[in-house]
Amino acid sequence: MRIFWRPFGFLRRLFKVESCSVTKSESLIPLAWTSQKLSKAPGIFLLDQRKRFSTMPEIERGQRDSELFSPPSDVRGMTTLDRTAFNKTVTIPVLKVRKEIVNKLMRSLKRAALQRPGIKRVIEDPEDEESRLIMLDPYKIFTNDSFEEAELSILKQLNVSPQISKYNLELTYENFKSEEILRAVLPEGQDVTSGFSRVGHIAHLNLRDHQLPFKYLIGQVMIDKNPGITLAVNKINNIDNTYRNFQMEVLYGEENMMTKVRENNYTYEFDFSKVYWNPRLSTEHSRITELLKPGDVLFDVFAGVGPFAIPAAKKNCTVFANDLNPESYKWLLHNCKLNKVDNKVKVFNLDGKDFLQGPVREELMQQLGPLSKERKHSVHIVMNLPAKAIEFLSAFKSLLDGQPCGRELLPIIHCYSFSKDANPAKDVQQQAEAVLGISLDPCSSVHLVRNVAPNKEMLCITFRIPAAILYKNQALDLENQEDPPPFKRQRTDKAFSEEKTTIA
């Protein structure tokens, strides 16, 4: 008898049950839940009810746990995906009950019932249509003595015999998670890729050298195991070109780089092969947006397709967004219209330095001019180009003419950078100070954005640009200037270390 069913609405599982007789010698053998290939005949067996079956060493359980629900060992080294090679039979305990009491009983057998994702815990009894078989956890239930007192009590109350049978469960490729499949296939002891960046329908992987011989298989597995993913790609170079995009290799699926994503309730459309997009920066986009207040002015120097600019515009900020990449500029315009903020965002296609010394300078001259004392909103400048943004800080030197405005009205810079230093917060501050030629101790804070790679952090240094830097012919006198919150507080190395630990 074959039973087909569809858990979670999209995967198929196949089970096969046949009746077999049990010899006296079999009934006396302690149950060691076993696994075998599908060529072996599956079946249901009664178990001897002996207390000695109910105890097993913890180490042995752990070893068997990794074996029982793991793919067959002979898939190791597979480079061309053969889904049938993952077929396997495992033997687990089952409890026979009347079908009308299944729902009530399952509430009381949560501890004992099999919890394996993707496997149905209640199936039809092939020998009795009025009964059902409840699959039990093979590492908790060995005989009726393995049930807890409360469980035995409910079984007795519902007139259910605690007699345990064993059941041959057929596992197929679809029963295994992507991590389990790749761990079984890749060389033993090597890192397994089970995660990826999802960009709409695209799975973006960054494979390591030892994973490259298996890259096409990995791409297939990612698509198989993640509904909605139809294309898997691998990054094959670093982001080191002018336009901040990178070369990608298609691993599996229909090559379609045009994608649509939702982030923080905003929609973005773009060609992923031609622009920069990193879904792991979603939290950082939100963090900066939350710092802004309606009426504030935001200059986004390296805007990409708009993940900072569009949320800020939706918050009724005045936004100036720039990107050198013509494709990013095109999709930035498109996404502003898509999110209905095109009337609040002025878009530019300039080099970052030209943007700062052109449109930004002109707007700051107005924002910080004679009437600036009446201004109640803040000016923020976001520079999200971690590999090079700090170099662009030099564009602020002597940027403005005239008398400086009040310190509380000076623009707030959010500049991103990478660091491989043992003290990354201090390193990023020193990088910025070296470019500006001034100490930022009184007015800066450093925020850990994410861990990019082993010993490589992405950080954001935030500070109010000193008037002595921003205005021409200003004396360097910061010692007696008091910083208003939130920039008066300097994050300590200890605080940064604690934040890093929390995020990791």
Side-chain angles (χ1 to χ4, degrees):
M1 177 179 182
R2 292 181 179 268
I3 304 171
F4 291 86
W5 55 286
R6 201 183 273 264
F8 308 120
F10 65 89
L11 293 180
R12 289 197 174 191
R13 306 291 188 267
L14 173 63
F15 297 98
K16 181 179 179 181
V17 181
E18 296 177 2
S19 298
C20 296
S21 61
V22 182
T23 65
K24 182 176 181 180
S25 60
E26 283 178 315
S27 68
L28 294 177
I29 299 175
L31 178 63
W33 306 114
T34 59
S35 64
Q36 53 188 349
K37 297 294 285 186
L38 282 176
S39 57
K40 302 292 184 181
I44 302 176
F45 305 89
L46 293 178
L47 304 181
D48 179 62
Q49 300 177 26
R50 292 193 175 191
K51 190 171 183 177
R52 65 189 177 95
F53 300 166
S54 64
T55 59
M56 291 213 179
E58 289 300 321
I59 294 179
E60 189 176 330
R61 290 190 194 182
Q63 292 173 342
R64 289 180 294 108
D65 187 45
S66 63
E67 296 173 359
L68 188 61
F69 291 109
S70 296
S73 60
D74 55 8
V75 301
R76 179 79 65 196
M78 177 188 293
T79 56
T80 301
L81 183 60
D82 177 6
R83 296 176 180 85
T84 62
F86 291 84
N87 294 345
K88 175 182 180 179
T89 299
V90 296
T91 306
I92 61 173
V94 292
L95 183 68
K96 180 175 180 177
V97 301
R98 303 187 308 278
K99 66 179 183 180
E100 63 269 15
I101 66 168
V102 168
N103 291 337
K104 185 174 182 180
L105 183 59
M106 287 300 292
R107 288 193 292 269
S108 301
L109 292 181
K110 289 182 179 180
R111 181 198 71 89
L114 182 66
Q115 299 295 329
R116 174 76 181 175
I119 295 180
K120 198 170 183 179
R121 291 182 292 175
V122 180
I123 63 171
E124 294 182 1
D125 184 344
E127 299 176 348
D128 184 359
E129 63 181 15
E130 297 301 316
S131 298
R132 296 292 183 265
L133 298 177
I134 298 177
M135 296 192 183
L136 304 174
D137 189 330
Y139 304 106
K140 295 177 181 177
I141 305 299
F142 313 107
T143 72
N144 63 312
D145 295 312
S146 303
F147 288 111
E148 294 181 347
E149 290 185 9
E151 294 165 342
L152 288 171
S153 177
I154 192 67
L155 291 177
K156 184 176 180 180
Q157 179 182 334
L158 296 175
N159 196 28
V160 176
S161 170
Q163 175 70 50
I164 301 299
S165 302
K166 68 177 182 179
Y167 171 79
N168 283 349
L169 170 65
E170 295 183 8
L171 300 177
T172 69
Y173 170 81
E174 294 194 2
N175 290 107
F176 299 109
K177 294 177 285 188
S178 59
E179 183 177 355
E180 293 169 331
I181 291 172
L182 298 182
R183 183 178 291 113
V185 169
L186 268 62
E188 196 166 3
Q190 295 281 9
D191 291 338
V192 172
T193 296
S194 59
F196 56 86
S197 294
R198 180 165 186 167
V199 184
H201 66 279
I202 303 171
H204 173 217
L205 296 94
N206 188 7
L207 300 180
R208 299 184 179 181
D209 290 342
H210 72 272
Q211 298 161 342
L212 293 179
F214 307 90
K215 59 186 179 181
Y216 300 121
L217 179 146
I218 292 173
Q220 286 182 268
V221 172
M222 292 297 104
I223 292 177
D224 286 346
K225 297 298 178 178
N226 295 278
I229 295 293
T230 59
L231 174 64
V233 300
N234 179 42
K235 184 175 78 171
I236 58 177
N237 73 331
N238 294 322
I239 303 173
D240 55 4
N241 60 31
T242 304
Y243 295 149
R244 283 205 304 166
N245 55 353
F246 44 79
Q247 293 181 350
M248 290 177 288
E249 177 185 18
V250 173
L251 301 180
Y252 194 72
E254 181 179 355
E255 186 169 352
N256 175 20
M257 294 293 184
M258 296 295 301
T259 191
K260 180 178 181 178
V261 301
R262 289 280 292 176
E263 180 186 273
N264 301 326
N265 297 318
Y266 303 104
T267 301
Y268 304 91
E269 296 178 343
F270 48 86
D271 183 335
F272 185 51
S273 67
K274 297 180 180 180
V275 304
Y276 176 79
W277 179 267
N278 190 340
R280 295 176 181 175
L281 295 178
S282 171
T283 301
E284 184 63 11
H285 298 152
S286 294
R287 186 183 73 87
I288 295 297
T289 303
E290 289 172 2
L291 295 177
L292 305 176
K293 296 178 181 179
D296 284 354
V297 177
L298 174 68
F299 297 99
D300 192 351
V301 184
F302 312 104
V305 298
F308 285 115
I310 288 170
K314 277 288 187 179
K315 206 169 182 178
N316 291 321
C317 296
T318 300
V319 179
F320 296 77
N322 172 73
D323 203 280
L324 177 62
N325 184 351
E327 282 291 321
S328 295
Y329 171 76
K330 179 181 78 173
W331 290 108
L332 177 57
L333 286 170
H334 172 83
N335 290 323
C336 286
K337 292 180 181 179
L338 185 64
N339 289 277
K340 300 179 180 179
V341 294
D342 48 306
N343 62 331
K344 298 179 182 179
V345 182
K346 296 181 180 180
V347 181
F348 300 86
N349 182 208
L350 300 171
D351 175 80
K353 184 177 181 180
D354 295 336
F355 176 63
L356 289 169
Q357 295 181 340
V360 173
R361 179 184 181 278
E362 293 175 7
E363 185 64 22
L364 286 180
M365 288 295 291
Q366 296 184 28
Q367 292 287 335
L368 308 181
L371 299 178
S372 63
K373 294 181 180 180
E374 302 176 5
R375 177 169 60 82
K376 296 182 179 179
H377 60 263
S378 298
V379 176
H380 294 258
I381 302 176
V382 173
M383 305 172 69
N384 182 24
L385 184 63
K388 296 182 177 181
I390 281 183
E391 299 174 13
F392 286 81
L393 291 176
S394 62
F396 290 103
K397 290 182 177 181
S398 301
L399 183 66
L400 304 183
D401 299 312
Q403 292 298 313
C405 64
R407 182 171 179 76
E408 69 280 359
L409 299 178
L410 291 168
I412 300 166
I413 310 294
H414 308 278
C415 185
Y416 292 83
S417 182
F418 294 129
S419 177
K420 295 182 178 181
D421 194 84
N423 188 337
K426 184 177 181 181
D427 175 51
V428 168
Q429 179 179 318
Q430 289 177 341
Q431 290 182 46
E433 290 173 340
V435 173
L436 292 171
I438 195 171
S439 173
L440 295 176
D441 269 339
C443 60
S444 68
S445 64
V446 176
H447 173 77
L448 173 65
V449 177
R450 70 186 187 98
N451 176 260
V452 178
N455 302 316
K456 183 179 181 180
E457 313 290 348
M458 177 179 175
L459 307 100
C460 176
I461 181 169
T462 295
F463 60 94
R464 200 180 293 277
I465 189 80
I469 293 295
L470 190 61
Y471 288 88
K472 295 178 181 178
N473 303 318
Q474 290 299 308
L476 191 62
D477 184 16
L478 299 177
E479 294 181 0
N480 298 321
Q481 297 185 22
E482 185 175 343
D483 292 293
F487 304 102
K488 186 176 181 180
R489 174 178 55 83
Q490 170 66 23
R491 180 164 301 177
T492 64
D493 296 343
K494 180 180 179 183
F496 178 83
S497 178
E498 290 174 350
E499 177 183 7
K500 178 180 176 181
T501 301
T502 302
I503 292 178

